[in-house]
Amino acid sequence: QVQLVESGGGLVQAGGSLRLSCVASRNIFRINAMGWYRQAPGKARELVASISSGGITNYADSVKGRSTISRVNAKNTVYLQMNSLKPEDTAVYYCKVDGVSASGPRADFWGQGTQVTVSS
């Protein structure tokens, strides 16, 4: 099955931390960029952080300095460590990988989304 399995979301108090994990199935390969996106109620989906195959990272201004994206290529896994969480971080978070499956050309693969709720 071609899938991305996310974990680590949940309900936290403001100022707390979460680490989101996303494991892409092994039949997704030749993965280039990996990233995390989020969509808050009433807002468009936005990039939170991305990381290239070479480890180059990019962060949204709103999370820069308090979030860290990392990856373990051998495990098809990407992480997002979020610290000093704010109520404004409340959103559904989606994992995305740019890769190839046996059935088709290069494409973006998305996780199912995991809810992060930060209480004030």
Side-chain angles (χ1 to χ4, degrees):
Q1 187 77 266
V2 176
Q3 61 180 6
L4 279 61
V5 179
E6 297 167 302
S7 62
L11 174 64
V12 298
Q13 293 183 344
S17 297
L18 287 173
R19 189 176 80 154
L20 306 182
S21 300
C22 173
V23 181
S25 57
R26 297 303 302 181
N27 54 2
I28 302 175
F29 56 98
R30 296 179 180 177
I31 293 175
N32 290 331
M34 309 179 80
W36 289 93
Y37 294 72
R38 68 186 181 188
Q39 188 165 19
K43 299 180 65 177
R45 186 174 299 187
E46 64 177 356
L47 174 71
V48 179
S50 65
I51 183 167
S52 74
S53 60
I56 305 301
T57 58
N58 184 48
Y59 298 93
D61 288 341
S62 59
V63 304
K64 195 172 299 181
R66 57 189 183 93
S67 296
T68 303
I69 189 170
S70 60
R71 63 191 286 170
V72 180
N73 292 333
K75 296 184 177 181
N76 272 21
T77 299
V78 61
Y79 303 95
L80 181 67
Q81 176 71 41
M82 299 187 293
N83 302 318
S84 301
L85 285 162
K86 306 173 181 179
E88 305 92 273
D89 295 318
T90 295
V92 178
Y93 284 69
Y94 299 90
C95 174
K96 189 198 79 172
V97 303
D98 167 20
V100 175
S101 68
S103 61
R106 178 168 295 279
D108 290 335
F109 299 88
W110 291 87
Q112 76 285 355
T114 184
Q115 178 71 46
V116 171
T117 302
V118 184
S119 62
S120 60

